[in-house]
Amino acid sequence: MRILILLFVSLLALPAYAVDVCDCKGSKKPGGVCYSGVGGPAYAGVGGPAYAGVDGPCYAGVGGPRYAGVGGKRYAGKGGPLYKGVGGACYAGIGGPCQRSHLKYLERCPEVCRE
């Protein structure tokens, strides 16, 4: 019985960890998912989960996980992983993976394209 309770509680807590702390939308009050005070889930100080300095999870400079320039994971230009033009991973036109009218839209269209 204890295992079932622990499993249930852990499943309830999962959505809190799914919040994008770099672009947080939610309660910013103490205890909230976007609280940015010391020790909070969206703390942006050195070593914090939302640190935007070099080597931080929210760093948007060259080589960082949120870099949107050529070669970055968030580059939306031709050939980039978020390109919305014909042939791109986020193309929403006829035959594209992100065409909303397609039955398997959620399976075909990458989650980052649906933001």
Side-chain angles (χ1 to χ4, degrees):
M1 184 66 176
R2 289 181 186 164
I3 293 174
L4 289 175
I5 292 171
L6 286 173
L7 181 64
F8 179 72
V9 170
S10 65
L11 288 175
L12 287 177
L14 280 177
Y17 293 106
V19 173
D20 180 9
V21 293
C22 300
D23 186 26
C24 206
K25 292 172 180 63
S27 175
K28 294 181 181 358
K29 295 179 182 177
V33 294
C34 294
Y35 178 61
S36 60
V38 176
Y43 178 60
V46 176
Y51 181 57
V54 177
D55 292 333
C58 297
Y59 181 58
V62 176
R66 300 187 68 83
Y67 180 60
V70 176
K73 293 178 183 177
R74 294 182 164 263
Y75 181 58
K78 194 166 191 165
L82 300 181
Y83 183 56
K84 294 184 180 190
V86 177
C90 296
Y91 181 59
I94 295 173
C98 293
Q99 182 182 4
R100 288 193 177 266
S101 61
H102 195 279
L103 295 174
K104 295 185 178 183
Y105 165 74
L106 292 176
E107 292 175 25
R108 295 171 20 147
C109 186
E111 188 174 342
V112 292
C113 298
R114 291 182 253 144
E115 293 178 346

